[in-house]
Amino acid sequence: MDTESLRAAVTREWDEQAVPNLAELIRIPAVTTAYDRSWADNGHLRAAAEHVKRWVEGRGLPNVRCEVLELDGRPPLLVVEAQPTAEGVDLGTVLLYGHLDRQPPTGEWSPGRDAWTPVLDGDRLYGRGSVDDSYSAYVAISAIVALAAAGGVHARSIVLLETEEESASGSLPAYLDLLQNRLKDVSLVICLDSGGEDHKRLWLTKSLRGLVSATLTVQVLDTPVHSGLAAGIVPDSFRIVRQLLERLEDATTGEIRLPEMNAPIPGHRRAEVAALTGLPDRQQPRYPLTAGTRQMSDEAVELILNNTWRPSLTVTAAAGLPEPAAAVPVVRQATSVRLSFRLPPTVKADHAARALIDVLTTDVPYSAKVDVTDVMLINGWNARPTASWLTAALETAEQEVFDGPSAAIGLGGGIPFLEMLGNRYPEAQFVVTGAVRSDSNVHAPDEWLSLSFAHKLTEAIALLMDSHARRNTETSRRSA
């Protein structure tokens, strides 16, 4: 395959097709189901899937068909299927994954920007979902189109674009069951919902932490009571919350005390972290720390292990606490906090959740009423070893596309799809990558996508698909 022709085709696809259509997709407020309880009536998730479907169908691509699936009571799934370029040879199925649902706007965006208005500023396309993860549809389709233009080949390829990833992909197993016969023998999975530390190289995610989220509510009164009358008699609900949290986390170190939320760190993952921190051109990710605030460690290796293999707790919300300016001298009836635990990749989320509920509801101080509700579970993922053909293909992509060698990394976030597919297709190879960088503002104001990196990522994915097809073609011929 002519790599210069591939690069030209990718550039043409992004400039003429992907960028304008992705910009229009950003305008659709496709908030995920967990944050839009009226998602079915609002229709934004369906509109996002239909928008991408119309774009693909409007291209008139040969041997490519689209379908929006919508099981009863579940948000839709867009399936794009491209037939193999080598007819008569069973090359297995390449499964490319992304999602079209998004987090809500959150916070104040910079002047001239907002979540649902695409803004192109140099190399950056701003808007909610630009990098998490609506761009994935355009990387996947553009790679297939560019392969054809450059004389490349690919196996049967199916692009799955779900609309519930940001809500833990609760409907995805039902859709995977429905598509089982169409997916057939999945031999390569390419997930485009990840990223890395910079835009110089191809980042390969090797592990993902899991998640347990839950709302803890402590209630001590049926109605508020004047603090002059009740303070010192009625226990403060916030203090009880503090006591319960101390059972879960060491407030000084952040160490999670539940054994069920901890796991040993494999030696080869420690070695990958050491290699990552040893990259000569690596710049440690920056976060907008308030002046004077220190990170949890001065050691780069420890920070990465904290973020990728050790459990951690973040209190993401609270209720029952009025704004300070509106506070009145009362003993409040209840306090609620939203707890978000990130779990090691090998910990089962349901086991951790059972331990969490047991610890919070056993021997409660002052016998206060405690409820643990709205539990969300995501299992982590730990990649299997990389096959030799894929290692060689990745090296080719590094040399042809990027400024330096690829880097292995673990991520602190979760992608439920990976654990599901890993269990269903234990022999498949996984390439987990993406355009997210630490300063891409994912889930935050001013989310942005690097268009130049999206070009490079598309080229790399096309090269991997070509290598996969050629390797499998040779294997099929030798077998015959």
Side-chain angles (χ1 to χ4, degrees):
M1 181 173 58
D2 182 359
T3 55
E4 288 302 319
S5 295
L6 177 67
R7 181 166 294 118
V10 167
T11 299
R12 185 169 56 252
E13 279 297 305
W14 271 94
D15 290 350
E16 298 177 5
Q17 292 288 335
V19 172
N21 200 267
L22 173 56
E24 290 305 307
L25 178 60
I26 289 171
R27 296 184 185 278
I28 302 172
V31 174
T32 192
T33 57
Y35 299 99
D36 181 7
R37 300 299 186 185
S38 301
W39 61 268
D41 293 333
N42 292 334
H44 300 313
L45 296 174
R46 174 82 189 202
E50 290 287 355
H51 176 87
V52 178
K53 177 176 181 286
R54 285 193 300 271
W55 172 67
V56 175
E57 291 179 336
R59 306 296 309 283
L61 304 174
N63 301 318
V64 175
R65 66 188 182 102
C66 297
E67 183 179 6
V68 175
L69 303 177
E70 193 162 10
L71 295 172
D72 287 345
R74 300 184 183 276
L77 175 81
L78 175 60
V79 182
V80 182
E81 183 175 347
Q83 295 303 314
T85 52
E87 295 183 6
V89 180
D90 183 7
L91 308 178
T93 299
V94 177
L95 184 58
L96 301 104
Y97 169 86
H99 66 89
L100 301 175
D101 62 315
R102 305 170 216 158
Q103 289 282 323
T106 65
E108 293 293 327
W109 290 54
S110 297
R113 302 177 194 152
D114 67 68
W116 313 123
T117 302
V119 174
L120 185 59
D121 185 359
D123 182 51
R124 297 185 177 191
L125 177 61
Y126 288 88
R128 177 61 83 233
S130 56
V131 75
D132 185 26
D133 175 42
S134 298
Y135 83 95
S136 59
Y138 302 91
V139 168
I141 301 302
S142 296
I144 293 170
V145 173
L147 271 175
V153 294
H154 62 77
R156 181 170 170 270
S157 301
I158 294 182
V159 182
L160 292 186
L161 298 166
E162 69 159 316
T163 60
E164 204 176 20
E165 191 276 340
E166 298 289 2
S167 302
S169 298
S171 297
L172 190 56
Y175 283 115
L176 292 175
D177 288 342
L178 181 66
L179 293 168
Q180 183 172 351
N181 292 334
R182 285 176 63 178
L183 293 175
K184 297 180 181 177
D185 178 22
V186 175
S187 53
L188 176 62
V189 176
I190 299 174
C191 174
L192 295 165
D193 189 26
S194 191
E197 294 184 353
D198 59 40
H199 287 152
K200 299 176 183 178
R201 69 192 86 237
L202 183 66
W203 290 90
L204 302 171
T205 301
K206 294 298 185 177
S207 66
L208 295 160
R209 285 194 296 182
L211 173 74
V212 170
S213 290
T215 299
L216 165 65
T217 299
V218 174
Q219 184 174 350
V220 295
L221 291 166
D222 293 331
T223 59
V225 177
H226 192 295
S227 60
L229 299 175
I233 299 174
V234 177
D236 181 68
S237 61
F238 186 80
R239 180 162 65 87
I240 297 174
V241 168
R242 288 164 52 202
Q243 291 177 270
L244 293 175
L245 293 183
E246 189 63 26
R247 296 178 179 181
L248 308 174
E249 176 195 49
D250 185 318
T252 301
T253 65
E255 180 182 353
I256 300 302
R257 290 177 160 149
L258 297 185
E260 296 85 353
M261 289 190 177
N262 285 272
I265 304 174
H268 65 289
R269 295 300 181 220
R270 287 183 179 272
E272 286 175 351
V273 171
L276 173 60
T277 59
L279 290 173
D281 59 345
R282 179 180 183 260
Q283 294 182 349
Q284 191 162 307
R286 293 177 174 270
Y287 299 94
L289 291 170
T290 301
T293 303
R294 294 180 292 108
Q295 296 185 127
M296 290 179 62
S297 174
D298 295 326
E299 298 293 329
V301 168
E302 293 306 304
L303 288 175
I304 293 174
L305 293 175
N306 283 350
N307 184 246
T308 58
W309 274 91
R310 294 186 181 120
S312 61
L313 168 63
T314 302
V315 177
T316 59
L321 295 164
E323 293 292 329
V328 294
V330 298
V331 176
R332 295 172 299 101
Q333 63 210 66
T335 300
S336 295
V337 290
R338 183 68 177 170
L339 308 178
S340 179
F341 289 91
R342 295 292 177 173
L343 306 175
T346 53
V347 166
K348 294 298 183 184
D350 58 343
H351 296 169
R354 284 196 293 270
L356 172 68
I357 293 170
D358 183 61
V359 166
L360 292 176
T361 58
T362 300
D363 193 22
V364 176
Y366 306 103
S367 299
K369 180 184 179 185
V370 169
D371 291 312
V372 181
T373 57
D374 296 328
V375 177
M376 178 185 290
L377 308 178
I378 299 177
N379 280 325
W381 175 75
N382 193 23
R384 60 179 60 94
T386 304
S388 58
W389 74 264
L390 182 53
T391 298
L394 289 167
E395 291 174 353
T396 299
E398 295 162 10
Q399 296 166 4
E400 296 288 344
V401 180
F402 292 96
D403 300 332
S406 64
I409 191 171
L411 290 186
I415 306 174
F417 164 86
L418 290 174
E419 193 255 351
M420 294 179 198
L421 264 291
N423 291 336
R424 286 172 183 258
Y425 302 102
E427 302 303 318
Q429 288 289 297
F430 281 71
V431 175
V432 183
T433 187
V436 171
R437 206 169 68 176
S438 60
D439 62 348
S440 296
N441 299 325
V442 171
H443 297 191
D446 294 344
E447 178 183 341
W448 61 277
L449 167 71
S450 166
L451 295 176
S452 60
F453 189 79
H455 286 213
K456 291 183 177 182
L457 188 57
T458 305
E459 289 180 50
I461 296 306
L463 288 170
L464 295 180
M465 294 174 70
D466 182 77
S467 295
H468 166 267
R470 293 183 189 279
R471 178 259 184 188
N472 282 5
T473 299
E474 290 301 317
T475 300
S476 298
R477 288 173 179 166
R478 287 196 297 269
S479 299

